[in-house]
Amino acid sequence: MSGHKYVIVGGVAGGMSAAARLRRLDEQCEIIVLEQGPAVSFASCGLPYFVGGEIEDEAELLVQTPQSLRDALNIDVRLHHRVVELDAAAHLVKVVTPNGQQDISYDQLILSPGTVAARPPIDGLDHPSVHTLRTVADASVVRELVTAGAKHAVVLGAGFIGLEAAEGLHLRGVDVTLLEAAPHVLPPLEVEMAWLVGQELRRLGMDVREGVAVTAITDDQGRAVVHLADGQTVVADLVLLSAGTVPASAVFKAGGVACNDRGAIIVDDQGHTNLIDVWAVGDVTVSRDAVTGALRPVPLAGPAQRAGRLVADAIAGSGRARPFPEPLATAIVRVGDLTAAMTGANRMGLDAAGMPFTTLHLHPLNHAGYFPGGSQIHLMVHIDPVTGRLLGAQAVGKAGVDKRIDVLATALRAGLAAQDLIDLDLCYSPPYGSAKDAVTMVGFLADNVLTGQTALWQPDEVDWARQQAFVLDVRTPAEFATGHLPEAVNIAHTQVRARLDEVIALAGGRPIAVMCQSGVRSYLAHRILVAAGLTSRTLSGGMLTLRAWLGGQADAVLVKGDKQ
Ligand code: FAD
């Protein structure tokens, strides 16, 4: 490929990975990176932490400069160069530069223009207090507003970036109202996981409002007045718009690049678009979900950088390049003292794909209980109900969440069934884990469920339990008194054997819905009941999961006090 001219649009994650890899593959080629902004290779993912002050110096966000890239890799980075037209037949792009418009020809063109902030149809969204967090300049503006005394911020959209921005603003002493139109914060998280995150945000002192849309933004003496669909208003010095993204593909679509109905560029598994010698990577592209097969963008840095490398291999490598893997959308976010992470499909994706699943909930400790400082990991895993194939996993907790989700993401990629997790040899010593690690416990539970050793009922079957089953709560009386289903009878799991006749009489032929705090003791009771010939199911994740599932309704549904 010596002597080839590669032009790359977009000089951040996908674009710069492609450029750097191209140079390593081909010393003789010409590589031009066209970046419309004032910086190349900047750390978008670090922007919220710069707002919050944990990253103090703006320079830390600028991972490379055009000069460092010229020196190390002989890459010609042109800042303030915006591609405004693609003429694929002539193999050139038209570029607006500080010195006027130029035509730049290419042999191969790689598009990595990313996304822009979605702008929902809200009247007044052009109010001067409304900002986005996409670039270093955006982050500097937000930081300056805070330094200048902004007291109250509205964060519009509680996805990953919204939560990180909200936390950053909170760390700087700003009062934050977090608005989310979906029923709960972090919409890709399952409701029983998202509840924990919402509670943590509230514990931090944020005003979290879920399931409410913004209808308009008006002005009151320079401050933004955010109007909500429920009739309420919130006055803010700063409104941070983080309501999703749209692909920055319009220019390329106009030039003939095929996009889906949402404007995401369609590529094959090597990054090739429908046009000869035109390739695309990163957030602007659509990918096939590894679990459900659904087509969707996965706007994450890891997949973008990986695709940048792989597209360079496809263009300039020798032999067939490794195809782009279908992403699992593995993601993580810190929220106060908690971490939330996920990999693979959630219920909504599985339902949309018509894929049956069974959900396992566990609440293991992050490390051995006898070693000081252990904390619970709230873990849930969706598995195929017949084969046990892992379909998706989510976790929320104070420590050890990243490790468990990364192990599960690896297992998902390998196509393992949940029972195969039993076979993993994971590192253990008391400060780090347990001899039976949280991931191993997923394997044990899955094996029990798939072999019929245990049968589960899920929190969304609470009406079935209350109306058609005998609810047997096997926690201690003290735990029971803190809140229980109104119909539940309390017999501690240690007494179930001795009081079997009583249980049989109370059940009166109904199935028994056993429950405890986390699902461990109810499993023990379940085995006793099954051995006695009774039909029993144990609540997945126990009261910990049920409370989170009920969320704000928990206090209305559960009753306190004794009932033996
Ligand atoms: P980008 O990195 O967005 O780069 C696209 C570049 O193309 C931009 O600089 C843009 O100016 C330029 N461009 C666009 N159109 C043109 C044009 N016509 N001409 C010239 N230049 C053009 N991901 C994670 O995995 N983990 C995180 O923690 C995380 N945190 C994030 C936090 C924030 C605040 C943001 C904004 C993103 C975060 N992401 C995170 C997402 C991650 O940054 C993106 O997935 C990744 O940067 C995508 O790479 P890309 O190359 O596709 O696009």
Side-chain angles (χ1 to χ4, degrees):
M1 298 293 280
S2 184
H4 274 71
K5 182 176 181 184
Y6 302 121
V7 172
I8 297 169
V9 184
V12 191
M16 283 317 307
S17 296
R21 179 71 172 169
L22 281 171
R23 173 58 69 223
R24 295 194 293 270
L25 294 171
D26 183 350
E27 182 57 23
Q28 307 307 324
C29 67
E30 181 181 5
I31 304 171
I32 299 172
V33 176
L34 303 172
E35 169 54 55
Q36 66 185 3
V40 71
S41 274
F42 66 90
S44 338
C45 309
L47 299 178
Y49 306 97
F50 176 65
V51 167
E54 288 174 275
I55 297 173
E56 286 180 12
D57 188 352
E58 187 178 304
E60 303 285 345
L61 298 169
L62 304 171
V63 182
Q64 297 283 351
T65 64
Q67 192 59 49
S68 69
L69 289 161
R70 166 71 74 189
D71 293 346
L73 291 162
N74 190 23
I75 293 172
D76 177 2
V77 176
R78 303 184 189 176
L79 301 180
H80 303 291
H81 278 54
R82 183 160 54 91
V83 175
V84 291
E85 198 177 319
L86 163 65
D87 183 344
H91 272 57
L92 60 84
V93 286
K94 294 187 186 299
V95 187
V96 172
T97 81
N99 303 316
Q101 188 159 314
Q102 285 176 12
D103 289 354
I104 297 179
S105 66
Y106 62 82
D107 294 323
Q108 304 285 336
L109 177 69
I110 301 175
L111 309 176
S112 190
T115 54
V116 292
R119 296 186 73 81
I122 297 170
D123 281 347
L125 204 59
D126 53 356
H127 189 281
S129 298
V130 178
H131 298 273
T132 55
L133 188 58
R134 307 286 311 166
T135 64
V136 177
D138 291 342
S140 296
V141 167
V142 172
R143 209 165 130 139
E144 278 160 22
L145 285 169
V146 172
T147 307
K151 293 267 177 294
H152 197 130
V154 163
V155 176
L156 206 166
F160 285 92
I161 295 174
L163 289 195
E164 289 175 347
E167 189 181 47
L169 291 164
H170 167 78
L171 284 173
R172 301 289 304 276
V174 178
D175 290 335
V176 176
T177 298
L178 186 57
L179 303 176
E180 174 54 57
H184 57 71
V185 298
L186 269 190
L189 270 193
E190 307 294 14
V191 59
E192 62 269 48
M193 294 282 140
W195 171 254
L196 304 171
V197 175
Q199 289 301 87
E200 178 67 2
L201 292 163
R202 292 181 179 96
R203 187 191 68 79
L204 292 172
M206 291 188 207
D207 171 19
V208 182
R209 308 200 196 176
E210 297 158 307
V212 62
V214 173
T215 52
I217 298 174
T218 55
D219 180 78
D220 180 16
Q221 298 176 29
R223 300 182 86 199
V225 183
V226 181
H227 299 255
L228 308 181
D230 62 9
Q232 303 212 28
T233 56
V234 185
V235 182
D237 307 300
L238 161 65
V239 177
L240 201 85
L241 179 63
S242 55
T245 57
V246 289
S249 61
V251 165
F252 311 105
K253 189 177 174 188
V257 174
C259 296
N260 71 2
D261 55 358
R262 294 184 169 187
I265 295 178
I266 297 166
V267 290
D268 66 14
D269 67 2
Q270 308 257 281
H272 211 173
T273 70
N274 60 313
L275 299 181
I276 288 174
D277 300 332
V278 180
W279 310 73
V281 295
D283 289 7
V284 79
T285 60
V286 65
S287 338
R288 186 173 294 282
D289 185 283
V291 175
T292 64
L295 294 170
R296 59 168 177 148
V298 175
L300 292 167
Q305 298 211 7
R306 176 174 63 200
R309 176 190 169 100
L310 295 178
V311 82
D313 288 352
I315 294 170
S318 52
R320 185 172 156 73
R322 211 177 159 76
F324 292 7
E326 294 173 346
L328 288 164
T330 307
I332 190 163
V333 63
R334 186 190 70 190
V335 182
D337 289 348
L338 290 184
T339 300
M342 68 194 80
T343 186
N346 61 11
R347 283 191 189 101
M348 192 189 284
L350 293 166
D351 284 341
M355 294 175 69
F357 60 93
T358 295
T359 304
L360 313 176
H361 298 88
L362 303 90
H363 307 275
L365 290 175
N366 69 315
H367 63 56
Y370 58 80
F371 188 84
S375 59
Q376 231 160 7
I377 299 175
H378 305 284
L379 180 60
M380 64 180 295
V381 181
H382 299 305
I383 64 170
D384 182 287
V386 177
T387 65
R389 179 191 160 207
L390 287 162
L391 303 173
Q394 303 192 347
V396 175
K398 288 188 174 168
V401 165
D402 52 346
K403 165 169 144 176
R404 273 53 182 224
I405 290 298
D406 275 347
V407 171
L408 290 166
T410 307
L412 251 95
R413 172 64 80 216
L416 296 190
Q419 318 85 287
D420 297 330
L421 299 172
I422 297 172
D423 303 342
L424 301 183
D425 291 312
L426 303 175
C427 58
Y428 160 62
S429 96
Y432 298 103
S434 300
K436 285 187 232 166
D437 188 81
V439 170
T440 323
M441 294 305 294
V442 174
F444 290 148
L445 176 54
D447 189 56
N448 283 344
V449 170
L450 292 161
T451 58
Q453 173 84 1
T454 192
L456 299 176
W457 63 280
Q458 297 290 336
D460 65 352
E461 294 178 286
V462 66
D463 290 343
W464 162 82
R466 295 181 62 186
Q467 291 158 19
Q468 296 177 42
F470 166 54
V471 182
L472 177 62
D473 190 325
V474 299
R475 294 176 294 165
T476 64
E479 289 173 293
F480 185 76
T482 62
H484 55 81
L485 287 173
E487 299 78 8
V489 171
N490 182 215
I491 299 178
H493 78 290
T494 48
Q495 296 179 15
V496 170
R497 263 186 206 92
R499 294 171 65 181
L500 254 182
D501 289 345
E502 192 183 335
V503 172
I504 292 168
L506 286 166
R510 290 174 294 170
I512 303 175
V514 198
M515 60 186 296
C516 65
Q517 185 70 355
S518 69
V520 176
R521 287 170 287 171
S522 60
Y523 166 57
L524 301 179
H526 167 80
R527 292 306 304 162
I528 297 167
L529 298 173
V530 169
L534 297 169
T535 303
S536 147
R537 285 158 70 191
T538 166
L539 174 59
S540 182
M543 183 56 93
L544 284 170
T545 295
L546 183 62
R547 266 191 185 278
W549 173 272
L550 293 170
Q553 297 301 310
D555 286 342
V557 173
L558 303 175
V559 290
K560 293 188 175 164
D562 296 342
K563 184 175 141 200
Q564 304 273 333

